[in-house]
């Protein structure tokens, strides 16, 4: 009896281990799914939700993929745990949208030792060995900042002898989007003696944090000409604080607003004259990543850095039809 029990137990264990391996598509189809572990930053912004959705819609089972999405809630430690779990699950490939640039060497070496390829999307990682990842797909954040600066240079209407007072709302410190957009502004400050930074406030790319810091700031000073806000959701928080303080903004208002992302809601504010400039940050990474993965799987060479296509929008560039057709 004991012998039969042992045989049954062995069969159960073998089946259990077999099911821990690569996932299969439903019965009746014969192809294995290519399993991808995706460590996403969080859900801090409308941009981020659109980015996750683009990946989910691209890497569907019917396209031969299984995408396991782990939301890191904007904490790098959560990303490190998720990535180590992906190694244990023996996924076929890992995609990382890194919270910040530093602190990836150890975990990426572990992934490398496990023989799992890695793709970095959206932001970048600063690692000593660039062979630890296949490619980095995302935005040229410095170019985005430079586009904002060019617009501000053309629209600096401060009168001679007067300073242009800029308030800077910063995203998550150490994230590529923050580092490069900040660098573009700080470089420009050195070139423009009449521009002055009245404050740099930390908004962590969230509406709630930006609303909180702006509300506090406006209790001390209302003397602002421009808000350079490193993402749309922080802009929405700042607009709420300005409304409550009774300060006008946008076209014909006291404060000019420059925002990054160009999500549907921000574009609508821009068309309505509430935001002056929307610098686009394209979240639709799915098709770009798919193209590179398919090339990689076919044994083709892929570029180390890929930038997504982006633009800038003022009211003059927008129509209601365009905004209505925007998916995010
Ligand atoms: O890294 C891209 C930035 O991260 C987007 O500008 C922002 O909205 C997001 O949270």
């Amino acid at each position: 009896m004991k012998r039969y029990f042992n045989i049954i137990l062995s069969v159960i264990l073998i089946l259990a281990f077999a099911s821990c391996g690569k996932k299969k598509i439903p019965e009746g189809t014969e192809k294995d799914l290519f399993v991808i572990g995706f460590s996403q930053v969080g859900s801090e912004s409308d941009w981020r939700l659109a980015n996750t959705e683009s990946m989910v819609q691209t890497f569907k089972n019917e396209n031969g993929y299984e995408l396991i999405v782990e939301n890191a809630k904007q904490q790098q430690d959560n990303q490190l745990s998720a990535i180590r779990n992906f190694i244990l699950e023996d996924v076929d490939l890992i995609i990382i949208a890194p919270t910040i640039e530093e602190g990836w060497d150890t975990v990426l070496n572990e992934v490398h030792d496990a023989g799992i390829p890695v793709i970095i999307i959206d932001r970048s990682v600063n690692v000593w060995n660039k062979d630890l990842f296949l490619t980095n797909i995302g935005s040229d954040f410095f170019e985005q900042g430079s586009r904002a600066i060019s617009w501000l240079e053309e629209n600096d209407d401060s009168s001679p002898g007067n300073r242009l007072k800029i308030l800077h709302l910063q995203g998550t410190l150490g994230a590529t989007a923050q580092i490069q957009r900040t660098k573009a502004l700080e470089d420009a400050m050195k070139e423009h003696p009449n521009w002055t930074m009245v404050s740099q406030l930390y908004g962590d790319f969230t509406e709630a944090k930006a609303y909180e810091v702006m509300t506090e700031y406006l209790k001390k000073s209302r003397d602002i000409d421009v808000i350079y806000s490193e993402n749309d959701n922080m802009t929405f928080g700042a607009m709420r604080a300005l409304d409550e303080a009774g300060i006008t903004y946008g076209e014909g208002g006291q404060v000019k607003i420059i925002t990054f992302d160009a999500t549907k809601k921000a574009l609508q504010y821009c068309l309505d004259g509430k935001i002056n400039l929307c610098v686009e940050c394209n979240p639709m990474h799915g098709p770009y990543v798919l193209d590179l993965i398919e090339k990689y799987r076919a044994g083709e060479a892929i570029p180390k850095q890929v930038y997504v296509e982006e633009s800038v929008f003022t009211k003059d560039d927008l129509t209601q039809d365009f905004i209505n057709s925007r998916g995010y």
Side-chain angles (χ1 to χ4, degrees), residues 223-267:
D223 201 7
I224 306 166
D225 299 317
V226 178
I227 293 180
Y228 180 99
S229 167
E230 288 180 356
N231 89 340
D232 284 350
N233 288 83
M234 292 196 296
T235 302
F236 304 149
M239 287 164 69
R240 197 144 53 89
L242 290 167
D243 282 337
E244 289 174 11
I247 297 173
T248 58
Y249 52 87
E251 261 188 35
Q254 175 192 321
V255 182
K256 288 184 175 52
I257 295 188
I258 297 173
T259 188
F260 292 84
D261 284 353
T263 53
K264 191 171 192 161
K265 189 169 163 189
L267 291 178

Side-chain angles (χ1 to χ4, degrees), residues 1-11:
M1 188 62 194
K2 196 170 169 213
R3 195 166 148 256
Y4 284 125
F5 176 77
N6 283 342
I7 291 170
I8 290 165
L9 187 65
S10 303
V11 170

